[in-house]
Every structure is written in structure tokens, then in C-alpha cells.
Amino acid sequence: MSKKYTLDLKEVKLIDLQLVGGKNASLGEMIQNIGDFGVNIPGGFAITVEAYDEFLKFNKLDQAIRLLMDNLVKDDLVSLRKTGLEIRQLIRNGEWPKNLKEQIKTSYFKLSQRYNQDGTDVAVRSSATAEDLPDASFAGQQETYLNVRGPEQILTSVRNCFASLFTDRAISYRNNFGFDHFDIGLSVCIQKMVRSDLGAAGVAFSLDTESGFKDVVLINGAYGLGEMVVQGTVSPDEFIVHKPTMKKGFRSIIEKKMGKKENKMIYSTDPGTLVKIVHVGNTQQSEFCITDEQVLQLANWVCIIEDYYTKNRGQWCPMDIEWAIDGLSGDLFIVQARPETIHSQKKDNDLVEYVIDQRSEKKVRLNGIAVGDRIGQGKVQKMYSLDGRDGSFDGSNFNKGDVLVTEMTNPDWEPVMKKASAIITNKGGRTCHAAIVAREMGVPAIVGTENGTEILLNGDEITVSCAEGDNGKVYEGIIPFKIRKTRLNDLPKTQTPIMLNVASPDLAFKFAHIPNAGVGLAREEFIINNFIQAHPLALLKHKELGDNELTESINILTRGFKDEETFFVKRLSYGVAKIASAFYPKQVIVRMSDFKSNEYSKLLGGKYFEPSEENPMIGWRGAARYYSEEYEYAFGMECKAIKRVREKMGLTNVTVMIPFCRTIDELQKVYGVMKKYGLERGKYGLKIFLMAELPSNILMAEEFAELIDGFSIGSNDLTQLTLGLDRDSSLIAHIYDERNTAVKRSISNLLKAARNSNTKVGICGQGPSDYPDFAQFLVEEGIDTISVTPDSMLKTIKAIYNIENKSNKTKKL
């Protein structure tokens, strides 16, 4: 009886990995076990590893391949290229055994009949037995062919998949990770196509790919077939969904970033080609490729798949998933799913930080999307191809430690990428194959710079920093940096809760790994300055100003949003939500905007709406703005953003803080405006804190305490206003000292008044981390929480622990 060389995907499971490879095994497992949850997975069949073995045996290729591999010179790119080409050519020239050929044709005809088509369109994907293992990412090492139709195209594509087991990248990758080339078999997946050429497609991860933060789904997508997102040849849209609140029924999309999406891959009707790349219209480029409903549906499916694999493996199993939306039916499909292989394999609990020297003069040459969190340095070496056929630099001469600068890498470039100190590309997103490979190799990469190959010159010495958030920076010259490693398990536990001051939403997921009791201060100013960039009143009134340049800039900023107000509310809510989700369900105290007039005027269009003040530090700032006729509506948009975070996204761990509030009357007026725009103390558990930074806040502490849920001491302003000095003036900087007796006495008085009314008091200034004696004073006075910047967190924990330990010993004596 002849062997069965094809199996319907409904017949295979994960336990069949050695027979059908990782991709097929995973698809079959999902079809059988996850379909009941409503997850759509296209049908298909697997051509088994035994079929691959039979093909090699029939054509007597096994010994020929072994001989060529034995003569391969390791780490020699010329030898690698020559060997790979010869092996692939041998396989492509092979003939099909009759029985095997007939089984493949029969299975294809059955699949076509299932979809009521004579010769249905399919994807032909390689499925290696080492692919998608939990300890190595073989994703993208072999080939995929799309829009394949008819038995002859199927057979040609399958044979090409067999050959792709020996692409240069696959050979190099196996060498690099110690896999035996002949221990790996190849199966092929024949799967019904989803007409995403008329819709959209992309990649989704069930974690944050840079920090490994577990509680989000990261989605990248673009128009057309998904290969362009996977390959990184398009800058995709990006969406982030918070899993815990989504599972509670909230619409918790906490981030939306629009990519360029200039081109898309579609079906080709041209002879000899299966697909082609066409331009995307300008209108579509200015829209997100999928709706919020589709984002949430996809995120829910990702969680279902992650939960299933986690239960099946008995340990957390984050997933790397490819998805597609059929443009004809509008239905969403999962077309691939594999275990994530980087963060899930990290065993230690160490915090490793790459810290750029902030004291050095730095000139930013270029920005892009950061991949990883490291820093790399070296000389620029631009490449446009691996073989130099286009007249550019030849990859065989790429020096170890150079910075690779190119249009876009792909997995073929792996032999060069592993020699680079850093990688910079014009195109791509942080979920493409090249980014995954760079991340796995520990090479910092900045992708999607758009014009890196134009701006950077060969031989330039540069520093590539991925250690400062999602925004990767390329600095001119070699900038000093440090690597700090902390064993988190060795940190002591303090009695006083230590919270974090978090400015950048882009760093929130990374900071969430640091031991903390929540966020004591998240400033809206940073979010407005970086996420919104325009003055809120300029957004609302720019068309009335007659400034065409301003209007054009605002139109570019707000593309993809219904109107300017929606842009402000949603962008601010995304920034706040990203911080709140990183620390959920711990308390996150968000301070409403506290720009001064000279700072507001620097925002886009701000010059039209800001007064010129002699001393902005004690002028029109904080609470005074919120209820003013001129600014009330702008503050109302802030309230709408916070309401959206808490009530639509479900992040009720957000506490609001009012800054620079001079009087009880001011606070009550602010409450009136907040209520008008949907925020009310106590409603849905909303707590409101007051920034205690004015002498009036201290002197009237008991009266303020009746109207709030807590104080947060702003020691910077409290010091300058208690001592009557301008902290920005260098002439009197020597007087500025948070440890001054007058300042400490004010804090003591506040703590006493707060205790009498059972009101919480924290501090969010830098003093406790800079001065151990000041920290000791706060602990002894009974401060409820201390909040410091992340770079001070570890030393503050140790200092507070020592103070508490010393105090406990003294009490016992």
C-alpha cells in the first residue's frame, strides 16, 4: 500500500510536528480546538515531511546536498551564497515521483471543490519541523507563494518551497543556532487564500515585542496581502489593546499610530507573475487600514489563541500571529500562529538598562521605530543588495561592528545582520521578520526612518539608541553610555510604598518591570508636547487665523481622525492609557496640564493664544486656566480624554491631580468645569488629588482635605514659593534647597493636618532620591508614599529600606 503524502489540516495536531512541520501542526490544532470560539481559519492540506524525503530520494539528492554542505566554509558569505544556490538549483530541477504528484493534485482538487471553485487560489507555505519551536524563531526562513492556482503552479511552488530549506538565510540561521541541517524536514502548507488583496492583513503579537510586557496585544497592519508587513517593505498602522480590560468588556484600544502604507500587494493578472505591488491612493493612506471593531475582534482572538496554547503547554505561551481580512466578505481570518520565541524564553529576572550619557552634547541625525532596548555604535556602511549587483557595497566585505544602513533588510540578510553593531532601515515596522531576527540576535535596530540612506554617509561614526522609548534615535558621533544590571530578586522590600514618576508613555511598558507601587506622577504636559504637539486652542481655531502654514501642519497631524477635537481627546487618552495600562490595576496619578504661558506658546500655534507674562512661573498656570473663559473648553477636552480612559477603556486605576490650585474657591470652580465635561469626584470611583506646592495649600490643608482624596507634595514649587525664589534663576540657585527648615516644617504641618482628616499624602519630587537625609525626614514624619523617577528607583528603594531598618532597630532599643 502506498504511503499517504498529504493530510487535510483538520487531521493534524501539534503532536504531528515531526510529520507536518510547525506551521501545519499549529493550523490543524487551531482548526480542531479553537474554531468553536468563532475564530476563522482557512482550510487546506499539508504535504508531509515524508513527501519531501521521497522527493529527495527519488532524485538521489541526499548525498549530493551533504557533499556540498561539507565543503561550506562557515561565516564566509561567498561560500554560503555559492553553496546555497547550487543546492537550490538541484532541488528545483528534480522530477516528481508519480504517486506523490497524483496525491498532491487530488488533494488540491478536493480543496477547490470545498470552496466551489474549479481551481481555487491558495497560499503555498513552507512548514519546517524546527519552525515555530518555543526556543528558536524559524519564521521567514523558508518561502511562501501567494495566489497560486492550478495543479502545475502548485507543484512548481511546492518544489520551490523544498529548495528554500537551503536559502542562504536558512543555512546561516541553522549554523548560528546549532541546528543540524539534516535533522530538519520540510512539509508544505496548501491553504485557501483570504482575499486580503482587497482588504487588509498583518501581524499580531500577544505581548509588547520590545519590553515583553504581557498585558497587551500589539497589531500591525496594512492594505493588501500581508507579506509586505511581514517582510517590512511597508510602514504599517499600529494598534495596541489592553488585555485585562478588554476581557472585562471595555473597548480598550490604548494606542493607534498611522503608518504610511504607500504600496500594497495584490493579485496579478500579468503572465508569469502571481502577485504585484501597486500604489495606495492618498485617501486610503490617510485612513487606518482596519476599524476599531476589527481591532478588538482580532485582539480577542489573539487572547483566545494565547490562552489555549498556554493551557496546552502548562506555561505562559505568548503568540506571534498572522491575520487577514477578506475584502469581499469583510470577514477576519487567522492564517498562521506560532509561539513567540524571544521574551517567552527569558529565564532571569535581571533588569538590564542601557543609559545614554545625558551630559554629552548630542545631535540627533535621524529618528525611527526602535527595535529592542540597546545602544549600538560604529561606522555607517550602506548596502542596497547582498551581492553588489546594483553597484553598491558588497555584503561579503561588511566589517564586524559596522552599522548596517539600508532600504530594508529581509531574512536573507541574516549573515550580515549578525555582524552589525546596529541596523538602520528606511522601511519596515517593529513586527516584520527582519525586526524579529534583529531582536533575537540582540542587535539594536531602528526601522521606518524613511530617509536613513540619504541622510547618513558611509564612514560616519554614529550612535544608535533604542534605549529611550519607541522612538529610536541616531546620534552624530560616538556618545558615551552605560550598561546597568540589577538583580530584581535581590532588592529589599520597603514598608513605605515607592511609586514611579513616568513622563513618557513610550517607556511605560519597560518601566512596569521595575518594582513599584504604581505611578505617583504622570504629567499631561509630556503627552501633549510629544503626542499632540499643537496648542489645544490652535487645534480648535486655526482656520480662523488665516495662517495657511499652521493649518497645513495641523491637517497633517490630525489625519485619520474625524476632527481636531477628536484628535486631541483620543491622542491624549492613548498617552494616559498607555501609562495606566502598564501599571494596572495599581494607582496611576495623572496631573492635569500645567504648562506655563511661555511653554504653551512654544506649541504649534501657541503664539496666537498665549499672553506675554513677566513671571510665568507664578502666572496663568494650573487651576487658574481651567475655569477661565479663554481656556475652559481646552481643559474640557482634557476631561473628556480622562473620562474616555476610565469609562471606555476601563482603566479606573487613573486618579486625577489638580496642580497649582491657589484657593478653595478655585478648586470648587475647577470641580464645576470638570463635572460639566463628564468628570465628577466619586463617580465610578474617581479620586482627585491636589498638588501641594503652594504655601496656601499648607496653611489651608484641613479645608482642602475636605474636598479631595489626597495630597501630592510638589517639592520643587513648594521650595521656591516658600523661600521666595525663582528656581530658574542661576543667581540665587545656591539658596534653593528642599531640606531647608522652612520647607520641611511646611511638609510636617501638611502631614499633621492630613492625618487629622485621614487624607493620604505622597511626594513626587526628586529630593528623596537625591538626599538620603531628606528621605529619612519624610519616612520619620510618616509620608504615605514616595514617588521618584525610574532612574532613581533602585537606589531609593535601598536608601528607604536602610532608613526603615535603622529606625526599627532604634525603636527596639
Side-chain angles (χ1 to χ4, degrees):
M1 184 176 176
S2 61
K3 283 187 177 180
K4 188 175 182 181
Y5 292 118
T6 66
L7 293 169
D8 193 291
L9 289 178
K10 292 185 289 188
E11 300 178 72
V12 299
K13 293 184 177 182
L14 286 175
I15 58 174
D16 300 312
L17 186 142
Q18 292 304 314
L19 179 64
V20 297
K23 191 175 284 94
N24 283 322
S26 183
L27 284 169
E29 185 79 18
M30 289 193 298
I31 287 171
Q32 294 183 56
N33 296 285
I34 299 178
D36 291 342
F37 293 95
V39 179
N40 295 328
I41 301 162
F45 64 93
I47 300 172
T48 67
V49 172
E50 291 175 338
Y52 167 75
D53 292 338
E54 177 64 19
F55 181 88
L56 293 187
K57 180 181 176 182
F58 182 81
N59 290 282
K60 299 180 174 61
L61 294 178
D62 187 63
Q63 290 304 315
I65 293 172
R66 286 182 182 274
L67 183 61
L68 286 167
M69 290 299 297
D70 287 343
N71 293 325
L72 172 67
V73 180
K74 190 175 180 181
D75 293 330
D76 185 317
L77 293 181
V78 174
S79 176
L80 174 65
R81 193 175 299 148
K82 181 175 180 293
T83 302
L85 181 62
E86 288 187 38
I87 294 174
R88 294 193 298 275
Q89 201 60 45
L90 284 173
I91 296 173
R92 285 171 181 151
N93 290 336
E95 297 291 330
W96 283 103
K98 184 178 179 181
N99 182 38
L100 174 54
K101 182 178 182 179
E102 290 305 314
Q103 285 194 36
I104 292 172
K105 285 185 174 182
T106 299
S107 294
Y108 174 65
F109 289 137
K110 286 182 179 178
L111 181 65
S112 296
Q113 289 171 0
R114 191 192 310 177
Y115 288 97
N116 300 316
Q117 294 175 328
D118 292 334
T120 193
D121 50 337
V122 296
V124 180
R125 294 188 172 96
S126 308
S127 179
T129 55
E131 189 172 42
D132 305 337
L133 293 177
D135 55 354
S137 175
F138 278 72
Q141 296 304 307
Q142 281 77 53
E143 297 296 345
T144 291
Y145 300 92
L146 304 176
N147 188 28
V148 180
R149 296 171 184 266
E152 294 308 316
Q153 279 191 3
I154 294 277
L155 292 168
T156 298
S157 298
V158 171
R159 189 162 44 200
N160 288 338
C161 283
F162 288 168
S164 75
L165 190 59
F166 293 94
T167 58
D168 298 353
R169 66 182 181 257
I171 295 170
S172 175
Y173 194 88
R174 291 194 292 268
N175 282 339
N176 198 42
F177 285 91
F179 284 84
D180 189 308
H181 300 282
F182 301 99
D183 284 345
I184 297 172
L186 193 79
S187 170
V188 177
C189 175
I190 311 297
Q191 186 181 37
K192 177 70 175 78
M193 285 287 295
V194 175
R195 292 302 304 269
S196 61
D197 60 310
L198 304 174
V203 180
F205 283 79
S206 63
L207 47 56
D208 176 57
T209 54
E210 306 313 316
S211 65
F213 182 63
K214 297 181 178 183
D215 284 347
V216 292
V217 174
L218 171 68
I219 298 168
N220 275 188
Y223 298 114
L225 301 173
E227 279 299 292
M228 293 192 71
V229 177
V230 173
Q231 293 169 359
T233 52
V234 66
S235 297
D237 294 338
E238 183 166 296
F239 312 88
I240 300 177
V241 180
H242 185 234
K243 290 192 282 192
T245 48
M246 181 194 70
K247 289 179 179 180
K248 291 181 178 181
F250 292 97
R251 297 174 62 83
S252 49
I253 301 172
I254 62 170
E255 176 74 283
K256 287 175 70 173
K257 290 181 181 177
M258 185 173 289
K260 284 213 160 185
K261 314 183 297 292
E262 306 103 317
N263 300 313
K264 65 178 178 179
M265 183 182 287
I266 63 171
Y267 283 10
S268 175
T269 55
D270 301 334
T273 60
L274 303 175
V275 294
K276 63 181 179 181
I277 295 173
V278 298
H279 186 68
V280 173
N282 291 334
T283 301
Q284 270 197 309
Q285 285 184 48
S286 297
E287 298 172 350
F288 288 103
C289 66
I290 54 178
T291 65
D292 286 0
E293 284 70 25
Q294 290 168 328
V295 170
L296 292 167
Q297 181 185 18
L298 175 56
N300 183 51
W301 286 7
V302 169
C303 289
I304 290 171
I305 295 169
E306 180 187 55
D307 291 345
Y308 176 80
Y309 274 75
T310 296
K311 183 178 179 181
N312 187 274
R313 291 177 182 268
Q315 63 182 37
W316 177 53
C317 185
M319 299 299 292
D320 168 358
I321 290 166
E322 293 181 28
W323 56 272
I325 289 178
D326 192 304
L328 295 175
S329 66
D331 292 334
L332 171 67
F333 290 86
I334 300 298
V335 295
Q336 285 191 55
R338 63 182 70 88
E340 189 270 350
T341 57
I342 299 170
H343 294 288
S344 59
Q345 295 303 302
K346 290 184 178 178
K347 302 298 183 186
D348 60 38
N349 193 32
D350 293 348
L351 178 67
V352 180
E353 301 170 280
Y354 284 70
V355 184
I356 200 88
D357 186 352
Q358 297 298 333
R359 296 168 299 179
S360 300
E361 288 189 18
K362 297 185 292 295
K363 180 180 179 182
V364 177
R365 294 281 299 277
L366 197 63
N367 292 278
I369 302 167
V371 175
D373 58 4
R374 302 188 180 196
I375 296 173
Q377 300 174 322
K379 292 183 178 179
V380 169
Q381 192 55 263
K382 292 194 279 190
M383 287 177 57
Y384 296 95
S385 68
L386 287 174
D387 54 16
R389 282 179 299 178
D390 57 2
S392 69
F393 186 77
D394 188 334
S396 63
N397 296 319
F398 189 89
N399 295 318
K400 186 173 179 60
D402 284 346
V403 176
L404 174 62
V405 180
T406 184
E407 182 74 11
M408 184 60 220
T409 65
N410 63 50
D412 284 332
W413 291 52
E414 188 268 344
V416 174
M417 293 166 71
K418 69 182 182 184
K419 295 167 68 176
S421 63
I423 298 164
I424 299 169
T425 70
N426 291 347
K427 295 181 178 179
R430 60 187 179 125
T431 59
C432 65
H433 278 323
I436 293 171
V437 173
R439 202 178 287 117
E440 189 171 73
M441 293 188 298
V443 179
I446 298 179
V447 300
T449 63
E450 297 185 18
N451 56 357
T453 54
E454 298 174 22
I455 290 178
L456 302 175
L457 303 176
N458 281 333
D460 284 355
E461 287 192 328
I462 59 172
T463 296
V464 178
S465 174
C466 296
E468 301 171 76
D470 290 350
N471 181 31
K473 297 177 182 178
V474 179
Y475 293 111
E476 190 173 283
I478 304 298
I479 308 296
F481 69 91
K482 294 179 181 179
I483 302 176
R484 293 198 301 236
K485 189 170 184 178
T486 304
R487 292 196 62 81
L488 298 181
N489 289 338
D490 295 340
L491 285 174
K493 305 291 184 185
T494 63
Q495 298 169 28
T496 305
I498 313 295
M499 304 176 82
L500 284 171
N501 297 340
V502 178
S504 171
D506 290 339
L507 289 168
F509 295 158
K510 177 182 176 182
F511 292 155
H513 293 294
I514 301 172
N516 66 83
V519 174
L521 177 63
R523 299 179 179 89
E524 278 192 6
E525 303 92 83
F526 186 96
I527 301 169
I528 293 171
N529 201 41
N530 291 275
F531 276 46
I532 294 169
Q533 301 175 26
H535 193 287
L537 295 178
L539 284 171
L540 297 173
K541 301 180 179 182
H542 66 95
K543 293 175 184 176
E544 304 169 14
L545 300 173
D547 186 334
N548 294 332
E549 187 176 336
L550 172 64
T551 293
E552 184 179 352
S553 297
I554 287 176
N555 287 341
I556 293 171
L557 271 178
T558 58
R559 69 191 185 101
F561 293 88
K562 183 176 69 173
D563 53 41
E564 292 87 345
E565 180 175 343
T566 302
F567 164 76
F568 182 93
V569 171
K570 287 192 173 182
R571 290 296 287 163
L572 181 55
S573 70
Y574 294 148
V576 171
K578 205 166 180 183
I579 297 173
S581 63
F583 297 89
Y584 182 86
K586 298 173 187 173
Q587 185 181 42
V588 172
I589 302 173
V590 178
R591 189 178 74 185
M592 305 301 271
S593 63
D594 191 26
F595 280 118
K596 294 171 279 294
S597 55
N598 59 326
E599 295 168 336
Y600 260 124
S601 64
K602 293 175 184 176
L603 293 172
L604 191 62
K607 64 182 180 181
Y608 293 110
F609 301 97
E610 292 300 318
S612 177
E613 295 186 280
E614 289 289 333
N615 193 339
M617 189 70 78
I618 54 174
W620 195 37
R621 59 177 287 199
R625 280 182 175 263
Y626 303 162
Y627 59 85
S628 67
E629 185 178 341
E630 298 90 339
Y631 199 79
E632 181 194 304
Y633 197 82
F635 175 65
M637 292 195 298
E638 292 181 42
C639 296
K640 290 179 182 180
I642 297 295
K643 178 182 172 67
R644 188 171 189 271
V645 170
R646 287 178 49 83
E647 297 176 22
K648 190 169 186 177
M649 300 180 187
L651 294 163
T652 52
N653 57 322
V654 168
T655 291
V656 167
M657 182 153 65
I658 307 299
F660 224 80
C661 183
R662 296 169 170 94
T663 68
I664 297 293
D665 182 56
E666 272 202 317
L667 180 60
Q668 290 173 329
K669 287 180 178 177
V670 170
Y671 277 177
V673 176
M674 290 175 67
K675 185 176 181 180
K676 181 177 177 181
Y677 292 97
L679 284 184
E680 189 173 355
R681 183 186 173 210
K683 190 176 181 180
Y684 301 112
L686 175 63
K687 292 182 179 179
I688 297 181
F689 275 39
L690 183 76
M691 197 85 174
E693 54 194 335
L694 304 167
S696 61
N697 301 148
I698 309 300
L699 295 170
M700 300 287 290
E702 291 182 359
E703 287 84 352
F704 276 113
E706 291 178 5
L707 299 173
I708 61 172
D709 299 288
F711 291 99
S712 183
I713 299 167
S715 56
N716 290 340
D717 272 326
L718 182 60
T719 300
Q720 77 162 342
L721 294 170
T722 298
L723 299 179
L725 53 83
D726 182 351
R727 70 173 191 256
D728 290 341
S729 172
S730 59
L731 297 174
I732 50 175
H734 61 284
I735 305 173
Y736 182 90
D737 188 348
E738 291 158 301
R739 298 169 295 172
N740 182 278
T741 302
V743 179
K744 289 168 71 176
R745 190 169 293 171
S746 292
I747 293 173
S748 293
N749 290 337
L750 175 66
L751 287 164
K752 289 172 186 173
R755 270 195 296 273
N756 291 336
S757 59
N758 199 28
T759 306
K760 296 288 185 183
V761 181
I763 186 168
C764 55
Q766 193 64 16
S769 54
D770 288 343
Y771 307 114
D773 58 331
F774 188 58
Q776 181 173 351
F777 158 74
L778 292 168
V779 170
E780 290 174 348
E781 288 289 321
I783 195 87
D784 290 298
T785 60
I786 293 175
S787 188
V788 297
T789 54
D791 62 334
S792 303
M793 185 57 143
L794 303 178
K795 71 174 183 179
T796 303
I797 288 175
K798 293 173 183 176
I800 297 299
Y801 175 78
N802 290 332
I803 291 165
E804 290 175 343
N805 198 36
K806 181 180 177 182
S807 176
N808 289 336
K809 287 180 180 178
T810 302
K811 288 177 181 177
K812 288 179 182 179
L813 292 175

